[in-house]
Structure formats: C-alpha cells, structure tokens
Amino acid sequence: MKTDWNPLLKEEFEKPYWKKLQQYIFEERARYKVFPPNDDVFAALHMTSYQDVKILILGQDPYHGEGQAHGLCFSVKDGVSIPPSLRNIFKEINTDIGITVPNHGNLESWARQGVLLLNATLTVRAHQAGSHQGKGWETFTDQVIRKVNEKAEKVVFLLWGAFARKKKVLIDIERHHVLESSHPSPFSAHRGFFGSKPFSTANSFLKESGRTPVNWEL
C-alpha cells in the first residue's frame, strides 16, 4: 500500500487475522469470481490519502454484479448502470443542493477531494451479497475508521443504515461530526435518508472547521 496510510496500518498486516484473511481471499479467487479485481481492492485508500480525508462515507460490502465494484463504496465505473442505492443518493443530492442528477455513477472525483468511500468488507463473491463478511475485513476497516477518528482535523462521518451506524462507537462524537440516517437503498430511503440533507450539512461543517467544502457535482 504505497500511500500515507501504510505506516498507520502496517501493524495490521502482521497480525494473524490478516494472514488468515489473505489466504481465504486467495482460495476464493482460485475457485470463484471475486469482486472487485485484485488491483482495486484498496482503491479507496489509494485514491484518498489519509492526510486529505475530511469526509468518510461507510458502505457495507462491494457490489456483487459483473463489472460494478471498483473499490469505492456506492461507486461504479463509467459505462456501468447506476445501482438503485446510488440513484437514490443522487436524488438526495439534487433535492439537497440542486445538482443535476449525473448520467454515470463514478464517484472518483469525490474520493480525490478527500471523501473516503470505504466499504466495511472489501471483497465479495460474484452474485453472493455479503459472502465475505465476517472473514476479517471488518477488523481491518474498523482500524481505518479509528485512524480517521485520530486525525487532528475535524472529519464528517456519514453513517447510512443500521450497519454503518453501529460504527459510531469508534468515533469521538464530541470532536467530529456524525450524520446518521437510514440507508439509501430502495427498501429504506423513504425512512429517513430522503430529506436528511447530508451533503449540504457536511459542507457547512467543513466550512465552519476552516476546510474546503466538497464539490459534489459529477
């Protein structure tokens, strides 16, 4: 991991759980199709340096459909159909700050502005949602969240859905800003995600903290 995350996380790579996890992933890739491609597994940490993190959006696990996952939560590459949850995220951006709904789902521009698009689980077996949960990834990504919590600068954490909201215990809510709501999936978006205004609220907090707001336009 050739980023400024490496010295912060290198101790994880020596722990028993990590070696067991990597062996599991190796065996999974030998037997099944696994997403995202190997080179994209740590894309969130490669694309958003630790120094630059000002917002963390937490997803659960990668998309399990063909060609969807590329290492950034909720994001898909150009040319890939926009998944339902991301379509609802775009609807909320439109009503929140008036940005036109984009015709693609590639969120790399957010990542390059300091929005860490982190999934709790970083791989998944093709067409089997949640298949790599509980294998060790969560131990690693919890440590990523802890390191973001340790940043001297104030960070905005966007926790959407019950799974993400459980990670609130890793965050110093007196120092950072935590925005919670239901998940943007079609099953729950109407229960509190729509109308929650996370994008304008996050930018207001960044401005108050003396940090540059995010241009959410894609």
Side-chain angles (χ1 to χ4, degrees):
M1 194 181 295
K2 297 177 181 177
T3 72
D4 63 351
W5 287 97
N6 193 58
L8 302 172
L9 299 170
K10 63 182 180 181
E11 290 183 5
E12 299 303 301
F13 309 143
E14 301 302 320
K15 292 180 179 178
Y17 88 86
W18 181 263
K19 295 175 181 179
K20 187 176 179 181
L21 169 64
Q22 296 311 306
Q23 181 62 32
Y24 171 78
I25 299 300
F26 177 81
E27 292 171 0
E28 281 284 287
R29 288 196 186 277
R31 297 177 62 194
Y32 308 101
K33 186 173 283 189
V34 171
F35 299 135
N38 207 43
D39 288 347
D40 288 338
V41 171
F42 299 104
L45 301 179
H46 286 139
M47 211 167 288
T48 308
S49 69
Y50 180 73
Q51 179 181 337
D52 290 344
V53 175
K54 51 190 172 186
I55 295 178
L56 188 154
I57 299 178
L58 185 66
Q60 191 158 358
D61 64 347
Y63 294 123
H64 55 85
E66 193 73 42
Q68 292 181 304
H70 68 121
L72 307 178
C73 74
F74 295 107
S75 180
V76 291
K77 287 189 174 181
D78 294 323
V80 177
S81 179
I82 300 172
S85 290
L86 183 55
R87 198 169 292 283
N88 284 339
I89 289 170
F90 289 161
K91 286 179 183 177
E92 178 60 19
I93 289 178
N94 175 253
T95 57
D96 184 6
I97 51 182
I99 287 175
T100 303
V101 173
N103 60 5
H104 68 89
N106 193 327
L107 307 182
E108 288 183 15
S109 72
W110 295 1
R112 297 190 191 285
Q113 294 179 73
V115 181
L116 182 61
L117 298 167
L118 181 70
N119 275 316
T121 302
L122 298 187
T123 56
V124 67
R125 192 186 297 177
H127 314 301
Q128 294 188 37
S131 49
H132 287 182
Q133 291 176 9
K135 304 298 182 182
W137 279 127
E138 296 89 343
T139 303
F140 176 72
T141 54
D142 278 0
Q143 189 65 6
V144 172
I145 296 169
R146 289 189 188 97
K147 290 300 180 184
V148 174
N149 180 63
E150 291 171 8
K151 280 176 67 76
E153 306 91 346
K154 294 179 179 179
V155 176
V156 183
F157 292 82
L158 301 186
L159 306 181
W160 297 333
F163 175 86
R165 294 167 84 169
K166 289 177 183 175
K167 304 298 182 179
K168 188 176 178 180
V169 297
L170 304 175
I171 303 164
D172 181 354
I173 60 174
E174 298 298 321
R175 203 159 60 82
H176 300 296
H177 202 61
V178 178
L179 301 177
E180 301 176 71
S181 75
S182 63
H183 195 275
S185 82
F187 304 106
S188 58
H190 291 281
R191 289 192 232 126
F193 177 75
F194 288 140
S196 62
K197 300 184 181 296
F199 307 100
S200 61
T201 306
N203 273 351
S204 294
F205 187 76
L206 290 174
K207 290 176 189 174
E208 289 169 12
S209 304
R211 308 193 76 185
T212 306
V214 172
N215 177 7
W216 296 106
E217 193 160 9
L218 298 170

